Amino acid sequence: MSTKSAESAGAAGVGDSSVFDPGAPYRCSPHVSLRPEPFGALVYHFGTRKLSFLKTLPLVEVVKGLEDHPDVHSAIAAAGVEETQRPAYLKALAGLAASGTIEARQ
């Protein structure tokens, strides 16, 4: 899985400055629109006006499913991500959190 776009999105430093906690509940930001594409999805953040990409369909499924699960680990498992690929997904999601694409929920 490529996490390049998530890493570069994290470099913008526009999200919440708190540390990404995969044991906590998250959701896709209400300021973000996901447009499905054959490769994954286009991500547009209305607040920052930044366009980025989710480069795999499973990552799109994880991001969309975050709100339906008690934590990030559960959303990743529900999307059927193999155990060996989970660290890469966590890294990508941390970048998405840093960019404001996903956010912690109460």
Coordinates of all heavy atoms in Angstrom, one line a residue:
M1 N 0.8 -1.2 0.0 CA 0.0 0.0 0.0 C 0.9 1.2 0.0 O 1.8 1.3 0.7 CB -0.9 0.0 1.2 CG -1.7 1.2 1.3 SD -2.7 1.3 2.8 CE -1.5 2.2 3.8
S2 N 0.5 2.2 -0.8 CA 1.3 3.5 -0.8 C 0.7 4.4 0.2 O -0.5 4.7 0.2 CB 1.2 4.1 -2.2 OG 1.8 5.3 -2.2
T3 N 1.5 5.0 1.0 CA 1.1 6.0 2.0 C 1.7 7.3 1.7 O 1.6 8.2 2.5 CB 1.5 5.5 3.4 OG1 2.9 5.4 3.5 CG2 0.9 4.2 3.8
K4 N 2.2 7.5 0.5 CA 2.9 8.7 0.2 C 2.0 9.9 0.3 O 2.3 10.9 0.9 CB 3.5 8.7 -1.2 CG 4.3 9.8 -1.6 CD 5.0 9.6 -2.9 CE 6.0 10.8 -3.1 NZ 6.8 10.6 -4.3
S5 N 0.7 9.8 -0.2 CA -0.2 11.0 -0.2 C -0.5 11.3 1.3 O -0.7 12.4 1.7 CB -1.4 10.7 -1.0 OG -2.2 9.7 -0.5
A6 N -0.7 10.3 2.1 CA -1.1 10.5 3.5 C 0.1 11.1 4.2 O -0.1 12.0 5.1 CB -1.5 9.2 4.2
E7 N 1.3 10.7 3.9 CA 2.5 11.3 4.6 C 2.6 12.7 4.2 O 2.9 13.6 5.0 CB 3.7 10.5 4.2 CG 3.8 9.1 4.8 CD 4.9 8.2 4.3 OE1 5.6 8.7 3.4 OE2 5.0 7.1 4.8
S8 N 2.5 13.0 2.9 CA 2.6 14.4 2.5 C 1.5 15.3 3.0 O 1.7 16.4 3.3 CB 2.7 14.5 0.9 OG 1.5 14.1 0.3
A9 N 0.3 14.7 3.2 CA -0.8 15.4 3.7 C -0.5 15.8 5.2 O -0.8 16.8 5.7 CB -2.1 14.6 3.7
G10 N 0.2 14.8 5.9 CA 0.5 15.1 7.3 C 1.5 16.2 7.4 O 1.6 16.8 8.5
A11 N 2.4 16.4 6.4 CA 3.4 17.4 6.5 C 2.8 18.8 6.5 O 3.4 19.8 6.9 CB 4.3 17.3 5.3
A12 N 1.5 18.9 6.1 CA 0.9 20.3 6.1 C 0.7 20.8 7.5 O 0.7 22.0 7.7 CB -0.4 20.2 5.3
G13 N 0.5 19.9 8.4 CA 0.3 20.3 9.8 C -0.9 21.2 10.1 O -0.9 22.1 10.9
V14 N -2.0 20.9 9.4 CA -3.2 21.7 9.6 C -4.2 21.0 10.5 O -5.2 21.6 10.8 CB -3.9 22.0 8.2 CG1 -3.0 22.9 7.4 CG2 -4.2 20.7 7.5
G15 N -4.0 19.8 10.9 CA -5.0 19.1 11.7 C -4.8 19.4 13.2 O -4.1 20.3 13.6
D16 N -5.6 18.7 14.0 CA -5.4 18.7 15.4 C -4.0 18.3 15.8 O -3.5 17.4 15.3 CB -6.5 17.8 16.0 CG -6.5 17.8 17.6 OD1 -5.7 18.5 18.2 OD2 -7.4 17.1 18.1
S17 N -3.4 19.1 16.8 CA -2.1 18.8 17.1 C -1.9 17.6 18.1 O -0.8 17.3 18.5 CB -1.4 20.1 17.8 OG -2.1 20.4 18.9
S18 N -3.0 17.0 18.5 CA -2.9 15.9 19.4 C -2.4 14.7 18.7 O -2.4 14.6 17.5 CB -4.3 15.5 20.0 OG -5.2 15.1 19.0
V19 N -1.9 13.7 19.4 CA -1.3 12.5 18.9 C -2.3 11.6 18.4 O -3.4 11.4 19.1 CB -0.4 11.8 20.0 CG1 0.2 10.5 19.5 CG2 0.7 12.8 20.4
F20 N -2.1 11.0 17.2 CA -3.0 10.0 16.7 C -3.0 8.7 17.6 O -2.0 8.2 17.9 CB -2.6 9.6 15.3 CG -3.4 8.5 14.7 CD1 -4.7 8.7 14.3 CD2 -2.8 7.3 14.4 CE1 -5.5 7.7 13.7 CE2 -3.6 6.2 13.8 CZ -4.9 6.5 13.5
D21 N -4.2 8.3 18.0 CA -4.4 7.2 18.9 C -5.3 6.2 18.3 O -6.5 6.3 18.3 CB -5.0 7.6 20.3 CG -5.2 6.5 21.2 OD1 -4.8 5.3 20.9 OD2 -5.8 6.7 22.3
P22 N -4.7 5.1 17.7 CA -5.6 4.1 17.0 C -6.5 3.3 17.9 O -7.4 2.6 17.5 CB -4.6 3.2 16.3 CG -3.3 3.4 17.0 CD -3.3 4.8 17.6
G23 N -6.3 3.5 19.2 CA -7.2 2.8 20.2 C -8.5 3.7 20.5 O -9.4 3.3 21.2
A24 N -8.5 4.9 19.9 CA -9.6 5.8 20.1 C -10.6 5.8 18.9 O -10.2 5.4 17.8 CB -9.1 7.2 20.3
P25 N -11.8 6.3 19.1 CA -12.7 6.4 17.9 C -12.4 7.6 17.1 O -12.1 8.7 17.5 CB -14.1 6.6 18.6 CG -13.8 7.2 19.9 CD -12.4 6.7 20.3
Y26 N -12.5 7.4 15.8 CA -12.3 8.5 14.8 C -13.5 8.5 13.8 O -14.3 7.7 13.8 CB -11.0 8.3 14.0 CG -9.8 8.7 14.8 CD1 -9.3 8.0 15.8 CD2 -9.2 10.0 14.5 CE1 -8.2 8.4 16.5 CE2 -8.1 10.4 15.2 CZ -7.6 9.6 16.2 OH -6.5 10.1 16.9
R27 N -13.5 9.6 12.9 CA -14.4 9.7 11.9 C -13.8 10.5 10.7 O -12.8 11.2 11.0 CB -15.7 10.4 12.3 CG -15.5 11.8 12.7 CD -16.8 12.5 13.1 NE -16.5 13.9 13.4 CZ -17.4 14.8 13.7 NH1 -18.7 14.4 13.7 NH2 -17.1 16.0 13.9
C28 N -14.4 10.4 9.6 CA -14.0 11.3 8.5 C -14.5 12.7 8.8 O -15.6 12.8 9.3 CB -14.6 10.8 7.2 SG -14.0 11.7 5.7
S29 N -13.7 13.7 8.7 CA -14.0 15.0 9.0 C -15.3 15.5 8.2 O -15.4 15.2 7.0 CB -12.9 16.0 8.7 OG -13.3 17.3 8.8
P30 N -16.2 16.2 8.9 CA -17.3 16.7 8.1 C -16.9 17.8 7.1 O -17.7 18.2 6.3 CB -18.2 17.3 9.2 CG -17.4 17.5 10.4 CD -16.3 16.5 10.3
H31 N -15.7 18.3 7.2 CA -15.2 19.3 6.2 C -14.5 18.6 5.0 O -13.9 19.3 4.2 CB -14.1 20.2 6.9 CG -14.7 20.9 8.1 ND1 -15.6 21.9 8.0 CD2 -14.4 20.7 9.4 CE1 -15.9 22.3 9.3 NE2 -15.2 21.6 10.1
V32 N -14.6 17.3 4.9 CA -14.0 16.5 3.9 C -15.0 15.8 3.0 O -16.0 15.3 3.5 CB -13.0 15.5 4.5 CG1 -12.6 14.5 3.4 CG2 -11.8 16.2 5.1
S33 N -14.8 15.8 1.7 CA -15.6 15.1 0.8 C -14.7 14.0 0.1 O -13.6 14.3 -0.3 CB -16.1 16.0 -0.3 OG -16.9 15.3 -1.3
L34 N -15.3 12.8 0.1 CA -14.6 11.7 -0.6 C -15.3 11.4 -1.9 O -16.5 11.2 -1.9 CB -14.6 10.4 0.2 CG -13.9 10.4 1.6 CD1 -14.1 9.1 2.3 CD2 -12.4 10.8 1.4
R35 N -14.6 11.4 -3.0 CA -15.2 11.0 -4.3 C -14.6 9.7 -4.7 O -13.4 9.6 -5.0 CB -15.0 12.1 -5.4 CG -15.7 11.8 -6.6 CD -15.6 12.9 -7.6 NE -14.4 12.5 -8.5 CZ -14.0 13.3 -9.5 NH1 -14.5 14.5 -9.7 NH2 -13.0 12.9 -10.2
P36 N -15.4 8.7 -4.8 CA -14.9 7.3 -5.2 C -14.3 7.4 -6.6 O -14.8 8.1 -7.5 CB -16.1 6.5 -5.2 CG -17.1 7.2 -4.4 CD -16.9 8.6 -4.5
E37 N -13.2 6.7 -6.8 CA -12.5 6.5 -8.1 C -12.1 5.1 -8.2 O -12.0 4.4 -7.2 CB -11.3 7.4 -8.1 CG -11.6 8.9 -8.1 CD -12.2 9.4 -9.4 OE1 -12.1 8.7 -10.4 OE2 -12.8 10.5 -9.4
P38 N -11.8 4.6 -9.4 CA -11.4 3.2 -9.5 C -10.2 2.8 -8.7 O -10.0 1.7 -8.2 CB -11.1 3.0 -11.0 CG -11.9 4.1 -11.7 CD -11.9 5.2 -10.7
F39 N -9.3 3.8 -8.4 CA -8.0 3.5 -7.7 C -8.2 3.7 -6.2 O -7.4 3.2 -5.4 CB -6.9 4.4 -8.1 CG -7.3 5.9 -8.0 CD1 -7.1 6.5 -6.7 CD2 -7.7 6.6 -9.0 CE1 -7.4 7.9 -6.5 CE2 -8.1 8.0 -8.9 CZ -7.9 8.6 -7.6
G40 N -9.3 4.3 -5.7 CA -9.5 4.6 -4.3 C -10.5 5.8 -4.2 O -11.7 5.6 -4.4
A41 N -10.0 7.0 -3.9 CA -10.8 8.1 -3.8 C -10.1 9.4 -3.9 O -8.9 9.5 -3.5 CB -11.6 8.1 -2.5
L42 N -10.7 10.4 -4.4 CA -10.2 11.8 -4.3 C -10.7 12.4 -3.0 O -11.9 12.1 -2.6 CB -10.7 12.7 -5.4 CG -10.2 12.4 -6.8 CD1 -11.0 13.2 -7.8 CD2 -8.7 12.6 -6.9
V43 N -9.9 13.1 -2.3 CA -10.2 13.7 -1.0 C -10.1 15.2 -1.1 O -9.1 15.7 -1.5 CB -9.3 13.2 0.1 CG1 -9.6 13.8 1.5 CG2 -9.3 11.7 0.2
Y44 N -11.2 15.9 -0.8 CA -11.2 17.4 -0.9 C -11.5 17.9 0.5 O -12.6 17.5 1.1 CB -12.1 17.9 -1.9 CG -12.0 19.4 -2.0 CD1 -10.9 20.0 -2.6 CD2 -13.0 20.3 -1.4 CE1 -10.8 21.4 -2.7 CE2 -12.9 21.6 -1.5 CZ -11.8 22.2 -2.1 OH -11.7 23.6 -2.2
H45 N -10.7 18.7 1.1 CA -10.9 19.4 2.4 C -11.4 20.8 2.1 O -10.6 21.6 1.6 CB -9.6 19.3 3.2 CG -9.9 19.7 4.6 ND1 -10.3 20.9 5.1 CD2 -9.8 18.9 5.8 CE1 -10.4 20.9 6.4 NE2 -10.1 19.7 6.8
F46 N -12.6 21.1 2.5 CA -13.2 22.4 2.2 C -12.6 23.5 3.0 O -12.6 24.6 2.6 CB -14.7 22.3 2.4 CG -15.4 21.5 1.4 CD1 -15.8 20.2 1.7 CD2 -15.7 22.0 0.2 CE1 -16.4 19.4 0.8 CE2 -16.4 21.2 -0.8 CZ -16.7 19.9 -0.5
G47 N -12.0 23.2 4.2 CA -11.4 24.2 5.1 C -10.0 24.6 4.5 O -9.7 25.8 4.5
T48 N -9.2 23.7 4.1 CA -7.9 24.0 3.6 C -7.8 24.1 2.1 O -6.8 24.5 1.6 CB -6.9 22.9 4.0 OG1 -7.2 21.6 3.4 CG2 -6.8 22.7 5.6
R49 N -8.9 23.6 1.4 CA -9.0 23.6 0.0 C -7.9 22.7 -0.6 O -7.5 22.9 -1.8 CB -8.9 25.0 -0.6 CG -10.0 25.9 0.0 CD -9.9 27.3 -0.5 NE -10.2 27.4 -1.9 CZ -10.1 28.5 -2.6 NH1 -9.8 29.6 -2.0 NH2 -10.4 28.5 -3.9
K50 N -7.5 21.7 0.1 CA -6.5 20.8 -0.3 C -7.2 19.5 -1.0 O -8.1 19.0 -0.4 CB -5.6 20.3 0.8 CG -4.5 19.4 0.4 CD -3.6 19.1 1.5 CE -2.5 18.2 0.9 NZ -1.3 18.1 1.7
L51 N -6.6 19.1 -2.1 CA -7.0 17.9 -2.8 C -5.9 16.9 -2.6 O -4.7 17.2 -2.8 CB -7.2 18.2 -4.3 CG -7.6 17.0 -5.1 CD1 -9.0 16.6 -4.8 CD2 -7.6 17.4 -6.6
S52 N -6.3 15.7 -2.2 CA -5.4 14.6 -2.0 C -6.0 13.3 -2.5 O -7.2 13.3 -2.9 CB -4.8 14.5 -0.6 OG -5.9 14.4 0.3
F53 N -5.4 12.2 -2.3 CA -5.9 10.9 -2.8 C -5.8 9.8 -1.7 O -4.8 9.8 -0.9 CB -5.0 10.4 -4.0 CG -5.0 11.4 -5.1 CD1 -4.0 12.4 -5.2 CD2 -5.9 11.5 -6.1 CE1 -3.9 13.3 -6.2 CE2 -5.9 12.4 -7.1 CZ -4.9 13.3 -7.1
L54 N -6.7 8.9 -1.7 CA -6.6 7.7 -1.0 C -6.3 6.7 -2.1 O -7.2 6.5 -3.0 CB -7.9 7.3 -0.3 CG -8.3 8.3 0.8 CD1 -9.6 7.9 1.5 CD2 -7.2 8.5 1.8
K55 N -5.2 6.0 -2.1 CA -4.7 5.2 -3.2 C -5.1 3.8 -3.3 O -4.7 3.1 -4.2 CB -3.2 5.3 -3.3 CG -2.7 6.8 -3.7 CD -1.3 6.8 -3.9 CE -0.8 8.2 -4.2 NZ 0.6 8.2 -4.5
T56 N -5.9 3.3 -2.3 CA -6.4 1.9 -2.3 C -7.8 1.9 -1.9 O -8.3 2.7 -1.0 CB -5.6 1.0 -1.4 OG1 -5.8 1.3 -0.1 CG2 -4.1 1.1 -1.8
L57 N -8.6 1.0 -2.5 CA -10.0 0.8 -2.1 C -10.1 0.4 -0.6 O -11.0 0.9 0.1 CB -10.7 -0.2 -3.0 CG -10.8 0.3 -4.5 CD1 -11.4 -0.8 -5.4 CD2 -11.7 1.5 -4.5
P58 N -9.3 -0.5 -0.1 CA -9.4 -0.9 1.3 C -9.2 0.3 2.3 O -9.8 0.4 3.3 CB -8.3 -1.9 1.5 CG -8.1 -2.5 0.2 CD -8.3 -1.4 -0.8
L59 N -8.3 1.3 1.9 CA -8.1 2.4 2.7 C -9.4 3.3 2.7 O -9.7 3.8 3.7 CB -6.9 3.2 2.3 CG -6.5 4.5 3.1 CD1 -6.3 4.1 4.6 CD2 -5.3 5.2 2.6
V60 N -10.0 3.4 1.6 CA -11.3 4.2 1.5 C -12.3 3.5 2.4 O -13.0 4.2 3.2 CB -11.8 4.2 0.0 CG1 -13.2 4.9 0.0 CG2 -10.8 4.9 -0.8
E61 N -12.3 2.2 2.4 CA -13.3 1.4 3.2 C -13.0 1.7 4.7 O -13.9 1.9 5.5 CB -13.2 -0.1 2.9 CG -14.3 -0.9 3.6 CD -14.3 -2.3 3.2 OE1 -13.8 -2.7 2.1 OE2 -14.8 -3.1 3.9
V62 N -11.7 1.7 5.1 CA -11.4 2.0 6.5 C -11.8 3.4 6.9 O -12.5 3.6 7.9 CB -9.9 1.8 6.7 CG1 -9.5 2.3 8.1 CG2 -9.4 0.4 6.5
V63 N -11.5 4.4 6.0 CA -11.9 5.8 6.4 C -13.4 5.9 6.5 O -13.9 6.5 7.4 CB -11.3 6.7 5.3 CG1 -11.8 8.2 5.5 CG2 -9.7 6.8 5.4
K64 N -14.1 5.4 5.5 CA -15.6 5.4 5.6 C -16.1 4.7 6.8 O -17.2 5.1 7.4 CB -16.2 4.9 4.3 CG -16.0 5.8 3.1 CD -16.7 5.2 1.9 CE -16.7 6.1 0.7 NZ -17.4 5.5 -0.4
G65 N -15.5 3.6 7.2 CA -16.0 2.8 8.3 C -15.6 3.3 9.7 O -16.1 2.7 10.7
L66 N -14.7 4.2 9.8 CA -14.3 4.7 11.1 C -15.4 5.0 12.1 O -15.4 4.7 13.2 CB -13.3 5.9 11.0 CG -11.9 5.6 10.4 CD1 -11.2 6.9 10.1 CD2 -11.1 4.8 11.4
E67 N -16.4 5.7 11.5 CA -17.5 6.2 12.4 C -18.3 5.0 12.9 O -19.0 5.1 13.9 CB -18.4 7.1 11.6 CG -19.3 7.9 12.5 CD -19.7 9.2 12.0 OE1 -19.2 9.7 11.0 OE2 -20.6 9.8 12.7
D68 N -18.3 3.8 12.3 CA -19.1 2.7 12.7 C -18.4 1.8 13.7 O -18.9 0.7 14.0 CB -19.5 1.9 11.5 CG -20.3 2.7 10.5 OD1 -21.1 3.6 10.9 OD2 -20.2 2.4 9.3
H69 N -17.2 2.1 14.1 CA -16.4 1.2 15.0 C -15.9 2.0 16.2 O -15.7 3.2 16.1 CB -15.2 0.6 14.2 CG -15.7 -0.2 13.0 ND1 -16.1 -1.5 13.2 CD2 -15.9 0.1 11.7 CE1 -16.5 -2.0 12.0 NE2 -16.4 -1.1 11.1
P70 N -15.6 1.3 17.3 CA -15.2 1.9 18.5 C -13.8 2.4 18.5 O -13.4 3.2 19.3 CB -15.4 0.8 19.6 CG -15.3 -0.5 18.8 CD -15.8 -0.2 17.4
D71 N -13.0 1.9 17.5 CA -11.6 2.4 17.4 C -11.1 2.1 16.0 O -11.7 1.5 15.2 CB -10.7 1.8 18.5 CG -10.7 0.2 18.5 OD1 -10.7 -0.3 17.3 OD2 -10.8 -0.4 19.5
V72 N -9.9 2.7 15.8 CA -9.3 2.5 14.4 C -9.0 1.0 14.2 O -9.2 0.6 13.0 CB -8.0 3.4 14.3 CG1 -7.3 3.2 13.0 CG2 -8.4 4.9 14.5
H73 N -8.4 0.3 15.1 CA -8.1 -1.1 15.0 C -9.3 -1.9 14.5 O -9.2 -2.7 13.6 CB -7.5 -1.7 16.3 CG -6.2 -1.1 16.7 ND1 -5.1 -1.2 16.0 CD2 -5.9 -0.4 17.8 CE1 -4.1 -0.6 16.6 NE2 -4.6 -0.1 17.7
S74 N -10.5 -1.6 15.1 CA -11.7 -2.4 14.7 C -12.1 -2.0 13.2 O -12.5 -2.9 12.5 CB -12.8 -2.0 15.6 OG -12.5 -2.4 16.9
A75 N -11.9 -0.8 12.8 CA -12.3 -0.4 11.5 C -11.3 -1.0 10.5 O -11.8 -1.5 9.4 CB -12.2 1.2 11.3
I76 N -10.1 -1.1 10.8 CA -9.1 -1.8 9.9 C -9.4 -3.3 9.8 O -9.4 -3.8 8.7 CB -7.6 -1.6 10.4 CG1 -7.3 -0.1 10.3 CG2 -6.7 -2.4 9.7 CD1 -5.9 0.3 10.9
A77 N -9.7 -3.9 10.9 CA -10.0 -5.3 10.9 C -11.3 -5.6 10.1 O -11.4 -6.5 9.3 CB -10.2 -5.8 12.3
A78 N -12.3 -4.7 10.3 CA -13.6 -4.9 9.6 C -13.4 -4.7 8.0 O -14.2 -5.3 7.3 CB -14.6 -3.9 10.1
A79 N -12.4 -4.0 7.6 CA -12.2 -3.8 6.2 C -11.4 -4.9 5.6 O -11.1 -5.0 4.4 CB -11.4 -2.5 6.0
G80 N -11.0 -5.9 6.5 CA -10.3 -7.1 6.0 C -8.8 -6.9 5.7 O -8.3 -7.7 4.9
V81 N -8.2 -5.9 6.3 CA -6.8 -5.6 6.0 C -6.0 -6.7 6.7 O -6.2 -7.0 7.9 CB -6.4 -4.2 6.6 CG1 -4.9 -4.0 6.5 CG2 -7.2 -3.1 5.9
E82 N -5.1 -7.3 6.0 CA -4.2 -8.3 6.5 C -3.3 -7.8 7.6 O -2.9 -6.6 7.6 CB -3.3 -8.9 5.4 CG -4.1 -9.7 4.4 CD -3.2 -10.2 3.3 OE1 -2.0 -10.5 3.6 OE2 -3.7 -10.4 2.2
E83 N -3.1 -8.6 8.6 CA -2.3 -8.3 9.8 C -0.9 -7.7 9.4 O -0.5 -6.7 10.0 CB -2.1 -9.5 10.6 CG -1.6 -9.2 12.0 CD -2.6 -8.6 12.9 OE1 -3.8 -9.0 12.8 OE2 -2.3 -7.7 13.7
T84 N -0.3 -8.2 8.4 CA 1.0 -7.7 7.9 C 1.0 -6.3 7.3 O 2.0 -5.6 7.3 CB 1.7 -8.6 6.9 OG1 0.8 -8.8 5.8 CG2 1.9 -10.0 7.5
Q85 N -0.2 -5.9 6.8 CA -0.4 -4.6 6.2 C -0.9 -3.5 7.2 O -0.9 -2.3 6.9 CB -1.3 -4.6 5.0 CG -0.7 -5.4 3.9 CD -1.6 -5.3 2.7 OE1 -2.8 -4.9 2.7 NE2 -1.1 -5.8 1.5
R86 N -1.3 -3.9 8.4 CA -1.9 -3.0 9.3 C -0.9 -1.8 9.8 O -1.4 -0.7 9.9 CB -2.5 -3.7 10.5 CG -3.7 -4.5 10.1 CD -4.4 -5.2 11.2 NE -5.4 -6.1 10.6 CZ -6.3 -6.8 11.3 NH1 -6.2 -6.8 12.6 NH2 -7.2 -7.5 10.7
P87 N 0.4 -2.1 10.0 CA 1.2 -0.9 10.3 C 1.2 0.2 9.3 O 1.3 1.4 9.6 CB 2.6 -1.6 10.5 CG 2.3 -3.0 10.9 CD 1.1 -3.4 10.1
A88 N 1.2 -0.2 8.0 CA 1.2 0.8 6.9 C -0.1 1.5 6.9 O -0.1 2.8 6.7 CB 1.4 0.1 5.6
Y89 N -1.2 0.9 7.2 CA -2.5 1.6 7.3 C -2.5 2.5 8.5 O -3.0 3.6 8.4 CB -3.7 0.6 7.4 CG -4.1 0.0 6.1 CD1 -3.3 -0.9 5.4 CD2 -5.3 0.5 5.5 CE1 -3.7 -1.4 4.1 CE2 -5.7 0.0 4.3 CZ -4.9 -0.9 3.6 OH -5.3 -1.4 2.3
L90 N -2.0 2.1 9.6 CA -1.9 3.0 10.8 C -1.1 4.2 10.5 O -1.5 5.4 10.9 CB -1.3 2.3 12.0 CG -2.3 1.2 12.6 CD1 -1.5 0.4 13.7 CD2 -3.6 1.8 13.1
K91 N 0.0 4.1 9.8 CA 0.8 5.2 9.4 C 0.1 6.1 8.4 O 0.1 7.4 8.6 CB 2.1 4.7 8.7 CG 3.1 5.8 8.4 CD 4.4 5.2 7.8 CE 5.4 6.3 7.5 NZ 6.6 5.7 7.0
A92 N -0.6 5.6 7.5 CA -1.5 6.4 6.5 C -2.5 7.1 7.3 O -2.8 8.3 7.1 CB -2.1 5.5 5.5
L93 N -3.2 6.5 8.2 CA -4.3 7.1 9.0 C -3.7 8.2 9.9 O -4.4 9.2 10.1 CB -5.1 6.0 9.8 CG -5.9 5.1 8.9 CD1 -6.4 3.9 9.6 CD2 -7.1 5.9 8.3
A94 N -2.5 8.0 10.4 CA -1.9 9.0 11.3 C -1.7 10.3 10.4 O -1.9 11.4 10.9 CB -0.6 8.5 11.9
G95 N -1.3 10.1 9.2 CA -1.1 11.2 8.3 C -2.4 11.9 7.9 O -2.5 13.1 7.9
L96 N -3.4 11.1 7.7 CA -4.8 11.7 7.5 C -5.3 12.4 8.7 O -6.0 13.5 8.5 CB -5.7 10.5 7.1 CG -5.4 9.9 5.7 CD1 -6.4 8.7 5.5 CD2 -5.5 10.8 4.6
A97 N -5.0 12.0 9.9 CA -5.4 12.7 11.1 C -4.6 14.0 11.2 O -5.2 15.0 11.5 CB -5.2 11.8 12.3
A98 N -3.3 14.0 10.9 CA -2.5 15.2 11.0 C -3.0 16.2 10.0 O -2.9 17.4 10.2 CB -1.1 14.9 10.7
S99 N -3.5 15.8 8.8 CA -4.0 16.7 7.8 C -5.4 17.2 8.0 O -5.9 18.1 7.3 CB -3.8 16.1 6.4 OG -4.8 15.1 6.2
G100 N -6.1 16.6 8.9 CA -7.5 17.0 9.2 C -8.5 16.2 8.4 O -9.7 16.5 8.4
T101 N -8.1 15.2 7.6 CA -9.0 14.4 6.8 C -9.9 13.5 7.7 O -11.1 13.4 7.5 CB -8.2 13.5 5.8 OG1 -7.5 14.4 4.9 CG2 -9.2 12.6 5.0
I102 N -9.3 13.0 8.8 CA -10.0 12.2 9.8 C -9.8 12.9 11.1 O -8.8 13.7 11.3 CB -9.6 10.7 9.9 CG1 -8.2 10.5 10.3 CG2 -9.9 10.0 8.6 CD1 -7.8 9.1 10.6
E103 N -10.7 12.8 12.0 CA -10.6 13.4 13.3 C -11.2 12.5 14.4 O -12.0 11.7 14.2 CB -11.4 14.8 13.3 CG -12.8 14.6 13.1 CD -13.5 16.0 12.9 OE1 -12.9 17.0 12.5 OE2 -14.8 16.0 13.2
A104 N -10.7 12.7 15.6 CA -11.1 12.0 16.8 C -12.6 12.4 17.0 O -13.0 13.5 16.8 CB -10.3 12.3 18.0
R105 N -13.4 11.4 17.5 CA -14.8 11.7 17.9 C -15.0 11.3 19.3 O -14.2 10.5 19.9 CB -15.7 11.0 16.9 CG -15.7 9.5 16.9 CD -16.6 8.9 15.9 NE -16.3 7.5 15.7 CZ -16.8 6.5 16.4 NH1 -17.6 6.7 17.4 NH2 -16.4 5.2 16.0
Q106 N -15.9 11.9 19.9 CA -16.2 11.7 21.3 C -17.1 10.4 21.5 O -17.9 10.1 20.8 CB -17.0 12.9 21.9 CG -16.2 14.2 21.7 CD -15.2 14.4 22.8 OE1 -15.4 14.0 23.9 NE2 -14.0 14.9 22.4

